[in-house]
Amino acid sequence: MKFGRRLIPWLLVLALAAGLVGFGYRKVMLAVYPQKYKELVETYSQQNGLDPMLVYAVIKCESGFDPDAVSSADAKGLMQLTDDTFAWVQTKEEERPAGEEELPPERLFDPEINIRYGTLLLSLHKAEFASDELALAAYHAGRGSVNKWLADDTYTDDGTSLHTVPYADTDAYIEKVMKTKETYTKLYGKDA
């Protein structure tokens, strides 16, 4: 009985420590995986039929939420769009605000413009390819590459999914974004 009395305070200390560690871990994770630009992400994700957690994951992996980011391929802004892709995706917008002409590439540094067109591009890929993974492959390597891979039985068994992504950097990108999306969903999803 004496042993049990001494054990109870230690169990309480351990339980308290575990709780504090868990709380600290979550706080760190929320800082590492922020929901910056939340209103823009939520608005344009909904408008384009996308899971906002996927959009947060793309932004986190593409730019780390830096609106001034520029890649070695000259992709710009939060969702890292190239000038050519930006010009193309603007032609796909169903309803452009009245009087708005084609926007110049420097507007990609505006978070709203970047998220608006980045989510539109991602949604076009998702509509064409039907899965997050293939949409991400098209986002990273281009839709022409994905269509070519889907036509080659070296990479697909059914012409609608890939068992192999031939570009190692695209394969790594898909895996990274999907893991990041999973983390966002755990942290911020409906059951979080």
Side-chain angles (χ1 to χ4, degrees):
M1 201 61 157
K2 202 175 195 186
F3 175 74
R5 285 188 203 157
R6 286 189 293 193
L7 184 60
I8 290 173
W10 284 109
L11 289 175
L12 290 172
V13 167
L14 286 173
L16 180 61
L20 289 175
V21 167
F23 175 75
Y25 172 78
R26 180 165 173 75
K27 204 170 182 179
V28 167
M29 291 300 288
L30 292 173
V32 172
Y33 293 89
Q35 284 188 305
K36 292 182 180 179
Y37 308 101
K38 185 174 182 166
E39 186 177 322
L40 296 173
V41 170
E42 301 288 332
T43 297
Y44 289 112
S45 293
Q46 181 179 6
Q47 182 176 311
N48 289 297
L50 295 171
D51 180 348
M53 301 308 149
L54 178 63
V55 176
Y56 285 120
V58 168
I59 294 171
K60 168 95 172 128
C61 293
E62 287 285 354
S63 68
F65 292 93
D66 178 2
D68 298 318
V70 179
S71 75
S72 59
D74 203 34
K76 296 175 178 75
L78 293 168
M79 295 186 74
Q80 292 289 282
L81 300 175
T82 63
D83 296 354
D84 289 342
T85 299
F86 183 47
W88 178 82
V89 77
Q90 287 184 71
T91 69
K92 302 302 179 189
E93 190 171 40
E94 288 181 18
E95 290 185 36
R96 183 174 291 182
E100 187 178 277
E101 299 297 321
E102 183 177 313
L103 300 171
E106 51 272 7
R107 292 294 307 276
L108 284 168
F109 296 111
D110 176 334
E112 181 168 9
I113 296 299
N114 198 283
I115 292 170
R116 173 176 151 192
Y117 288 101
T119 56
L120 176 57
L121 177 63
L122 193 55
S123 74
L124 292 169
H125 291 325
K126 181 104 184 247
E128 182 173 2
F129 298 111
S131 76
D132 285 350
E133 291 81 1
L134 288 177
L136 291 169
Y139 196 88
H140 189 264
R143 59 183 290 278
S145 295
V146 175
N147 280 312
K148 186 171 69 173
W149 301 336
L150 290 172
D152 186 338
D153 61 8
T154 305
Y155 310 117
T156 182
D157 293 325
D158 58 10
T160 60
S161 63
L162 297 173
H163 57 70
T164 304
V165 176
Y167 296 173
D169 59 335
T170 299
D171 192 39
Y173 174 80
I174 295 165
E175 185 175 341
K176 180 179 180 182
V177 174
M178 292 306 293
K179 283 183 179 181
T180 303
K181 177 189 176 211
E182 185 179 314
T183 301
Y184 268 98
T185 301
K186 285 178 185 175
L187 289 169
Y188 300 102
K190 291 179 177 114
D191 299 330

